[in-house]
Amino acid sequence: MSFSNVFNENKLLFSKGQSYNQPMFPPNSAWNQNATTFANSGQIGTIPFGLYIDTNNSIYTIHRQNGRILIWMNNSNDTNLILYTQLSSSVYSIFVTTNGQIYVGDSTSIKSNSYSNQTIEIANVSSSIIYGLFVDINNTLYCSMYNEHKVVKKSLNDSLSTMTIVAGNGSQGSTSNLLNNPNGIFVDTNFDLYVADSNNNRIQLFRLGQINGITVAGNTSPNLTISLNWPTNVILDGNKYLFITDTENNRIIGSDENGFRCIVACSMSSGATSNQLFYPRSIAFDSFGNLFVADQFNNRIQKFRLSTNLSNSKIKKNNDSIFSFHYLGPTSTSTSTTTTNVNQSKSFKEKLKKKSFFLLKSQRVDLLR
C-alpha cells in the first residue's frame, strides 16, 4: 500500500469544499494533555500569531521578525518552503485558499502572496490592525478590524469591489450589534459569521444579513455556556461545534452535543511545560484531528494529538443547520487529567501581577508587536 493510501485511510471524516480541515469528532473526544513542540523560536521567531493548516496538512505560519511565510508541506516535520515576502513585524493573520493563494493581514494592509514570492496589496483598512482573516466558499474575504470594532468583507472575484461592514458599526460596545476589539473570525458554509469578541469576553454569531449578533459562548449569552477571558480565535468542526482560544485563561475550549469543556491546558495557569500554554492565539486542526496551537508567549507551536480511539466510535454526520443552543451544558468542565469550574477563572492580569508586572488591556497591542 502506498504512503498516500495510508495517509488517506487514516484521516478523520471532514467537510469538503473549503481549504481548511473540519474533522467530525465523536462526543467527548479527548486530546493528549502533553503536547509536542512542532516548531520553536529558532524556527518561527518570537510571539507567533497566525497559523493555518490546509486539507493537505500543509502548515503555514509567519516569522514576524524577518517577514517570511514558513510552510511545512504535506505533513512534513521540517520547513521545506520559505516565502521571502518582506512582510512587516506587524503581520498577525493568515489564510490560505483552495488554489494556494496566501492572504495575510500585515499591519493595516491585506496582502496576497503566491508561491512565486509575489506580494500584492489588495486592500487597506486605514488605522486598524487585522487580527482575523477568512475567505468563504464564494471567494469573499472577511477581516476583523481590531481598533475600529467591526468586521468587513470584500469580494475577491471583483477587483473593483469595496469593503462593506458585516458586523459592528465602528463604535465600541457590548450590545448585540456592537463589538469590542474583535480578533479571530470564522465563516461557515451558510455564510454565518463567528467573531471572537475579545474585550467583551464572548463569541458572537452574526447570521447572514443580520446586524445583531447572538452570543454563543461567554458573557451576555442567554444560555448557560462557559466563562471566557479575552478569547482570540474561534473555529468550527465538521459538526458545527465551536473550538475557542481562551487566551487569558491560557487554555483551549471545545464543545460537542454535551456542552462546552476545556480540552487542553486546563490548569488555567500560564507555563512552559508540555501541558501548559502561555497566551495562546491561533488554533487549527489537521485532517487527523490533532490540534495545533500558536503558543504566543512561549514562542512555539504546540501539537496536541487526538487520543480518542475512533475505530469503534460513531462519528456524527454533518448537519447543515446553523449553530444551535440545544447542546449547551453545565459550566463545570473536565478532562481526563483535571476538573475545572469555570466560575473560578483567574484573570491574566492577576497572574502577571505575581510575576511583578501589570499589563493593561489598552497596551496589549504595543507589547505584542
Side-chain angles (χ1 to χ4, degrees):
M1 181 180 292
S2 69
F3 175 79
S4 61
N5 287 337
V6 172
F7 183 84
N8 290 330
E9 286 182 3
N10 286 281
K11 283 186 181 181
L12 278 175
L13 180 65
F14 61 91
S15 298
K16 296 180 180 180
Q18 60 272 328
S19 61
Y20 47 89
N21 296 298
Q22 287 189 285
M24 295 181 180
F25 299 108
N28 300 312
S29 290
W31 285 260
N32 192 317
Q33 294 301 296
N34 292 300
T36 57
T37 298
F38 177 79
N40 59 32
S41 60
Q43 298 164 287
I44 63 173
T46 58
I47 317 294
F49 274 80
L51 173 66
Y52 194 88
I53 304 177
D54 69 19
T55 54
N56 291 319
N57 289 327
S58 294
I59 300 168
Y60 303 74
T61 193
I62 304 165
H63 193 304
R64 295 176 52 239
Q65 283 69 51
N66 62 26
R68 298 172 182 174
I69 297 173
L70 309 178
I71 308 173
W72 292 256
M73 300 294 291
N74 303 319
N75 215 33
S76 171
N77 290 321
D78 299 310
T79 310
N80 42 31
L81 186 59
I82 300 174
L83 302 185
Y84 295 87
T85 47
Q86 297 182 334
L87 301 170
S88 78
S89 61
S90 297
V91 55
Y92 298 119
S93 50
I94 184 168
F95 191 96
V96 184
T97 59
T98 53
N99 63 0
Q101 202 68 25
I102 304 168
Y103 294 92
V104 297
D106 186 5
S107 185
T108 63
S109 175
I110 301 172
K111 296 177 180 178
S112 172
N113 304 271
S114 67
Y115 288 107
S116 60
N117 285 319
Q118 291 182 327
T119 300
I120 301 171
E121 181 178 285
I122 62 171
N124 193 289
V125 292
S126 64
S127 61
S128 187
I129 293 172
I130 303 166
Y131 282 133
L133 278 182
F134 201 94
V135 179
D136 70 19
I137 58 174
N138 276 352
N139 208 29
T140 299
L141 173 73
Y142 298 71
C143 79
S144 61
M145 300 177 67
Y146 178 87
N147 303 106
E148 296 187 21
H149 315 292
K150 60 187 177 183
V151 178
V152 296
K153 70 177 182 179
K154 165 187 169 63
S155 173
L156 295 173
N157 297 322
D158 180 3
S159 61
L160 299 179
S161 68
T162 57
M163 292 287 190
T164 59
I165 298 175
V166 290
N169 63 10
S171 297
Q172 186 177 23
S174 60
T175 56
S176 63
N177 66 323
L178 297 178
L179 298 169
N180 194 345
N181 298 131
N183 265 265
I185 53 178
F186 189 98
V187 183
D188 68 16
T189 53
N190 294 318
F191 308 105
D192 294 321
L193 168 68
Y194 295 78
V195 183
D197 189 12
S198 297
N199 212 8
N200 282 323
N201 299 312
R202 66 188 184 184
I203 304 299
Q204 291 293 89
L205 163 61
F206 292 87
R207 293 172 175 161
L208 178 63
Q210 299 297 310
I211 63 171
N212 291 308
I214 301 169
T215 303
V216 293
N219 288 358
T220 71
S221 173
N223 299 271
L224 193 63
T225 58
I226 195 165
S227 174
L228 300 174
N229 191 2
W230 199 264
T232 58
N233 200 216
V234 56
I235 60 177
L236 271 63
D237 71 7
N239 295 316
K240 296 186 180 292
Y241 289 116
L242 303 183
F243 290 79
I244 303 165
T245 308
D246 191 13
T247 296
E248 291 197 353
N249 282 328
N250 301 294
R251 63 180 180 170
I252 308 300
I253 300 298
S255 63
D256 60 18
E257 62 190 38
N258 299 310
F260 286 94
R261 69 193 189 282
C262 178
I263 58 171
V264 297
C266 298
S267 70
M268 298 173 68
S269 297
S270 62
T273 60
S274 63
N275 66 338
Q276 291 180 305
L277 299 169
F278 192 4
Y279 218 78
R281 298 289 299 209
S282 298
I283 54 176
F285 290 114
D286 66 14
S287 62
F288 304 103
N290 301 314
L291 175 67
F292 290 71
V293 183
D295 188 12
Q296 191 174 76
F297 286 172
N298 282 323
N299 307 311
R300 65 189 183 182
I301 295 175
Q302 293 293 84
K303 178 181 179 179
F304 292 89
R305 292 185 179 275
L306 181 68
S307 57
T308 297
N309 184 353
L310 296 172
S311 60
N312 297 317
S313 299
K314 196 174 187 181
I315 298 179
K316 182 177 177 181
K317 293 185 178 179
N318 200 9
N319 184 347
D320 289 332
S321 64
I322 60 172
F323 184 89
S324 60
F325 297 112
H326 71 278
Y327 72 89
L328 301 180
T331 56
S332 292
T333 61
S334 63
T335 68
S336 58
T337 59
T338 185
T339 301
T340 306
N341 187 295
V342 297
N343 293 323
Q344 296 175 345
S345 169
K346 292 183 179 181
S347 73
F348 182 69
K349 294 176 184 177
E350 293 172 332
K351 296 185 184 73
L352 295 185
K353 280 182 179 179
K354 294 179 182 179
K355 296 177 182 292
S356 302
F357 68 97
F358 184 84
L359 176 64
L360 292 174
K361 287 188 175 181
S362 61
Q363 296 174 325
R364 280 190 182 88
V365 175
D366 291 333
L367 174 66
L368 299 181
R369 286 181 176 175

